[in-house]
Amino acid sequence: MSLSVRAFRPSDAKAVAEVHRAAASFLVCTPQSVAWEAANAPAAQQFQILVAELDNQLVGAAKTGLVHDSAVPGQAIANPMVHPAHRGHGAGRALLAAAEERLAALGAARIFAWVQEDSRSTVFAERNGYHRSRTSRFLRLDLARTPLPPLPDHLPPGVELRPAADFGADPYPLYLLDAEAACDEPSDVPADTMSYENWLTETWEHPDIDLGLTTVATVDGEPAAFSAVAADGLGRCSSAMTGAKRAFRGRGLAKLAKLRALHEARAAGCTEAFTGNDATNAPMLAINKGFGYEPFGTEWRCVRGLDAPPQRVDAGDMRGPA
């Protein structure tokens, strides 16, 4: 068999999306979003997709780049994934080696990757020098069969639930809301320097984010909480982010926003909803359990310092988010 790794080309978008869906079915990924990220990533991110070909068939991909929205320097991501039908032929190892070489040349000191909790993937990560840092729980909601809690007949005084699309003329208030909520998300590297311009490109204009389903809870007109929704047009949707401003927390507004988003997603024809939460995020895990989400998968956030040489093996692959 002939195995090679090369840089992504726009014509690869459909095949990369298919690999992504097969390797990480709990995340929404479309050919449009793959092409969009490759073409529109911020320059500071130095983003690049690498692809692995086996006998001229694209069987794997790795999203690589620097963590550009954090004040902590020298952080990078390398998220190899290989189609389950083509594992065991060295594609994961080749992608990871190429990704690490590229990121080291960019000055990265540490590389982060999401690794699915199964015997192949965790062994692959650990023997290639990555150690476990934190855990994320992925949940699935059967929107076709699971009854959702009803939306309240009356909202609290001053509270409105509005689609994000209503803010098309001026989305800046939503950027402020998202940026504050993201700063308090459990993470190894805080997202604390996201600019408005980058947020517009990476979130507001992202082709998978559905601004009609994404819901904002306002209090006296001020955006206070939100639940962002990504959808693939094939009946699947995913919570891209749910959170609230600090001044409005403890009032159930994020829960209201997510409930409205789920009702709208079901009305739009979505039959499956996925979400992911850090294992330490007890409030959101409890909210999702109340909505009827059930456990679907677990991932580990793994990290490797580039001064630690790995023992190269090909026992699986590592998976990262879009």
Side-chain angles (χ1 to χ4, degrees):
M1 290 186 175
S2 173
L3 176 67
S4 61
V5 174
R6 61 169 174 80
F8 170 87
R9 296 191 288 256
S11 58
D12 298 324
K14 184 175 184 291
V16 171
E18 289 173 351
V19 166
H20 195 286
R21 284 195 294 265
S25 61
F26 43 81
L27 294 176
V28 166
C29 182
T30 64
Q32 293 82 5
S33 67
V34 173
W36 176 269
E37 291 172 0
N40 294 282
Q45 189 177 7
Q46 295 287 327
F47 181 80
Q48 186 181 58
I49 300 173
L50 302 173
V51 301
E53 289 184 322
L54 191 63
D55 293 338
N56 298 316
Q57 179 183 356
L58 196 153
V59 300
K63 295 183 178 182
T64 70
L66 302 177
V67 180
H68 66 293
D69 55 357
S70 173
V72 180
Q75 314 302 303
I77 58 166
N79 291 316
M81 64 190 97
V82 177
H83 195 291
H86 298 285
R87 291 175 182 167
H89 300 292
R93 178 177 57 190
L95 282 167
L96 183 60
E100 290 177 344
E101 181 179 359
R102 176 177 187 268
L103 294 171
L106 293 174
R110 291 200 302 170
I111 298 178
F112 292 91
W114 284 108
V115 181
Q116 294 191 47
E117 189 177 63
D118 60 63
S119 58
R120 290 178 61 90
S121 300
T122 51
V123 167
F124 175 78
E126 290 167 356
R127 291 187 179 175
N128 281 279
Y130 289 78
H131 67 267
R132 304 183 193 194
S133 174
R134 62 190 319 116
T135 313
S136 182
R137 310 292 188 194
F138 282 90
L139 311 171
R140 176 185 179 272
L141 175 62
D142 186 342
L143 280 175
R145 297 178 179 85
T146 305
L148 289 171
L151 285 164
D153 293 330
H154 302 286
L155 297 175
V159 174
E160 288 185 89
L161 295 177
R162 302 170 57 188
D166 283 1
F167 296 84
D170 180 20
Y172 187 74
L174 301 190
Y175 156 72
L176 296 177
L177 167 58
D178 192 0
E180 184 171 312
C183 279
D184 295 334
E185 278 280 289
S187 177
D188 297 290
V189 182
D192 51 6
T193 62
M194 172 67 76
S195 70
Y196 180 50
E197 291 73 19
N198 287 349
W199 178 86
L200 284 173
T201 298
E202 296 180 61
T203 300
W204 184 255
E205 297 172 355
H206 194 285
D208 287 353
I209 297 295
D210 191 312
L211 298 179
L213 304 182
T214 296
T215 297
V216 181
T218 62
V219 177
D220 297 326
E222 178 184 354
F226 76 110
S227 186
V229 178
D232 65 2
L234 302 172
R236 301 169 69 253
C237 66
S238 175
S239 296
M241 174 68 174
T242 298
K245 281 188 174 180
R246 300 182 189 101
F248 295 100
R249 291 174 189 168
R251 298 169 58 175
L253 298 177
K255 181 178 180 180
L256 272 176
K258 186 159 189 176
L259 180 58
R260 185 265 181 190
L262 288 171
H263 275 277
E264 293 296 316
R266 185 170 63 183
C270 291
T271 58
E272 289 183 292
F274 295 89
T275 193
N277 301 113
D278 189 272
T280 64
N281 194 346
M284 279 308 307
L285 286 167
I287 287 172
N288 290 324
K289 183 178 180 180
F291 288 155
Y293 282 90
E294 296 182 349
F296 190 78
T298 299
E299 287 192 326
W300 283 92
R301 179 78 153 178
C302 293
V303 59
R304 180 198 160 208
L306 286 182
D307 57 348
Q311 301 175 21
R312 295 286 182 198
V313 301
D314 184 33
D317 74 319
M318 295 191 286
R319 201 289 314 157

